[in-house]
Amino acid sequence: MEQSQMARVKLGTQGLEVSRIGFGCMGLTGVYNDPVPEDAGVAIIRRAFDAGVTFFDTADAYGPHTNEVLLGKVKILLLSKVEYDVFVLWAYRSN
């Protein structure tokens, strides 16, 4: 599926641009709910990306590196199938 156009904004001062709307990954790994199965998590992230989202928010508090690994798997899938200019992961480190 081709990625949709979405409004973009500059992130910081390095020239990166990300989607104006981000995707919060907390619900994928079970902080307030049961974790979604990995294949469902991949499908959810892919759908967000296909809708134009390039900014994915996660944190160690959601499970150390759990969302980051899931996002990495999606990124590998996308690299082989989709051309894109940026795939940004914002990871808040609590320590």
Side-chain angles (χ1 to χ4, degrees), residues 18-66:
V18 297
S19 57
R20 182 174 297 274
I21 297 173
F23 181 87
C25 297
M26 180 175 66
L28 299 176
T29 53
V31 174
Y32 295 113
N33 56 297
D34 290 334
V36 299
E38 184 175 295
D39 58 338
V42 167
I44 291 166
I45 294 167
R46 292 274 323 256
R47 178 66 184 105
F49 182 81
D50 290 342
V53 175
T54 59
F55 186 79
F56 295 87
D57 178 25
T58 185
D60 279 346
Y62 307 158
H65 312 296
T66 307

